[in-house]
Amino acid sequence: MVPPVAVSPVIKTARWSFLLIGMFYGKQRYDYLKPRAEKERLVEEAEKKIREEQEKIAKALAEASEDTILK
Amino acid sequence: MAQAVQKLVAKVPTLIGAAATYSKPRLATFWHYAKVELVPPSPAEIPQAIAGIKNILTGVNSGRLGQTTVKDAFRNGMVCTEVLMWFYIGECIGKGGIVGYAV
């Protein structure tokens, strides 16, 4: 087997510091995005309800005003 | 149907044994190299790393880095890409998932 290579300290420190920085960044971004996603979900639910109400009204109107004898 | 499932369940220990025998030597080689190459830097190596980075910066300023051959530049580029990918691995660990944020 090829003997293991002695990796330069620059590369080693760079790798592991990037790993740690990445872990911090991931955690921070997750904590930033989570409450926003919750708010977005609530807003989406409220809007969905309004939209469904309007669709129901529109559907009822459409049904009432269509002039076919096949009722 | 039930018999097929039974036969499959009876095969699972053999499959696990086969997987273990297959992976043990490969894990051993991986560990053999990782023990030397992938370990974090010891506290004594961090000043060396800082000196190395200063070296690179002086190389940039003096124009020595403009003299690298394409072969060396390619190799260095590959190493830099690998080092940068560790950031994304860290991000995956920090956000607790591989694809996307599970918010």
Side-chain angles (χ1 to χ4, degrees), chain A residues 1-5 7 9-16 18-19 21-23 25-27 29-30 33-34 37 41, chain B residues 29 32-33 36-41 45 48-49 52-53 79 82-84 86-87 90-91 93-95 101-103:
Chain A
M1 275 202 302
V2 182
V5 147
V7 183
V10 179
I11 298 180
K12 276 201 262 191
T13 10
R15 273 187 190 146
W16 287 87
F18 272 126
L19 185 74
I21 294 173
M23 295 211 298
Y25 173 77
K27 187 85 178 65
R29 188 118 182 103
Y30 181 81
L33 287 176
K34 198 158 171 70
R41 255 196 287 265
Chain B
T29 12
H32 170 78
Y33 285 116
V36 179
E37 297 186 356
L38 286 183
V39 285
E45 291 183 346
Q48 291 181 2
I53 296 180
V79 173
E82 188 242 334
V83 168
L84 289 175
W86 281 58
F87 172 82
E91 190 189 353
I93 298 177
K95 69 183 173 177
Y101 287 81
V103 277

Side-chain angles (χ1 to χ4, degrees), chain B residues 6-75:
Chain B
Q6 261 184 350
K7 274 194 259 185
L8 190 61
V9 167
K11 262 214 239 166
V12 167
T14 21
L15 285 176
I16 296 183
T21 13
Y22 176 82
S23 57
K24 269 214 224 327
R26 284 163 180 79
L27 279 177
T29 12
F30 172 75
W31 187 246
H32 170 78
Y33 285 116
K35 255 191 319 196
V36 179
E37 297 186 356
L38 286 183
V39 285
S42 63
E45 291 183 346
I46 301 187
Q48 291 181 2
I50 301 180
I53 296 180
K54 283 215 190 88
N55 241 343
I56 296 177
L57 287 177
T58 42
V60 168
N61 284 332
S62 69
R64 174 178 55 105
L65 284 198
Q67 304 292 329
T68 41
T69 62
V70 173
K71 179 174 170 183
D72 279 349
F74 183 73
R75 190 196 58 190

